[in-house]
Amino acid sequence: MSRSDEERRRLDALYGPALPAGGNGIQPHEMSVSPRSRQKLDQRSAVGLADYLAQLSDLRLSKLFPEIFHLLWIVDEDGDLWFSVEEVIDGSGATIGILPKAVQARPLNLQKLGHPTLIGDQRKLGRIGGELVFDPDDPEGSGRSFCLTNASGRYGLRPGQRMEHLQAVAGKFVENGLHFWLDFQTPRY
């Protein structure tokens, strides 16, 4: 979708400029494969996400899942917010599972689908990205069990990212009835 200069400036102020992936760039498989769980945040998906997160918070049995796995999110050039779990594919592109957060090493024939795969446009321009993680230890004591971070080495920890950008993303979730505590991580590049 083509945006006017005024709309682009508004989105730049809210979420930061739409830029190519920083950090380690984009891996070849991330140009052609999208996560099966990829969804755009809207009123309908927010209801499903809220139900899913509430279920994870309420059941002891399921607490293991949110402690181990997390959701990725990104705001694309058009200001749309996309989310998914961090899926892992094999060499043929078939989804074989979800990448546990604490796993740093994986077999060579497996590839993760990171933040760039959430962006549909081939230019892979993103404004800000991060993770939604289970963490009931909100330092402000809000009682919220999930934390919204800017922990994306390619889209969230770039120079120029500010807490205000993460707060604007939180506002998109709030507009859809989802409330999280925030953990802004200082850009490292």
Side-chain angles (χ1 to χ4, degrees):
M1 169 183 282
S2 179
R3 299 279 180 177
S4 70
D5 288 342
E6 183 179 326
E7 177 66 4
R8 223 174 272 115
R9 283 191 296 273
R10 185 185 74 77
L11 291 172
D12 287 353
L14 272 175
Y15 308 113
L19 298 170
N24 295 329
I26 300 172
Q27 302 305 309
H29 69 277
E30 293 179 312
M31 293 300 295
S32 58
V33 181
S34 292
R36 289 175 39 198
S37 60
R38 177 181 177 260
Q39 282 192 269
K40 180 179 175 180
L41 181 66
D42 57 25
Q43 289 180 338
R44 185 173 182 200
S45 66
V47 169
L49 182 57
D51 289 346
Y52 172 75
L53 296 176
Q55 181 183 40
L56 293 177
S57 293
D58 292 341
L59 295 174
R60 264 192 220 158
L61 178 66
S62 63
K63 281 211 190 305
L64 185 59
F65 186 85
E67 288 173 4
I68 295 174
F69 302 103
H70 57 286
L71 295 176
L72 303 180
W73 63 266
I74 195 160
V75 175
D76 68 13
E77 181 178 21
D78 291 330
D80 294 323
L81 193 150
W82 297 88
F83 64 93
S84 78
V85 292
E86 191 165 23
E87 296 176 22
V88 179
I89 60 172
D90 65 16
S92 73
T95 302
I96 60 165
I98 301 170
L99 185 66
K101 184 162 182 56
V103 171
Q104 299 301 316
R106 60 188 169 277
L108 292 176
N109 62 337
L110 303 182
Q111 301 166 318
K112 71 176 185 165
L113 300 182
H115 287 92
T117 63
L118 298 177
I119 301 172
D121 183 278
Q122 284 298 302
R123 296 175 301 143
K124 304 290 185 189
L125 301 178
R127 294 181 177 281
I128 185 172
E131 299 175 350
L132 181 60
V133 298
F134 179 77
D135 187 347
D137 297 324
D138 176 2
E140 296 181 12
S142 71
R144 296 179 181 143
S145 296
F146 289 88
C147 174
L148 188 69
T149 78
N150 61 315
S152 167
R154 296 182 274 184
Y155 294 99
L157 300 174
R158 302 186 289 206
Q161 296 292 25
R162 300 188 318 267
M163 176 58 142
E164 293 82 6
H165 297 146
L166 185 61
Q167 289 168 331
V169 171
K172 285 183 87 71
F173 281 107
V174 169
E175 288 170 10
N176 288 284
L178 296 159
H179 301 267
F180 310 115
W181 66 276
L182 304 181
D183 180 19
F184 180 76
Q185 299 177 19
T186 304
R188 57 181 176 206
Y189 301 107

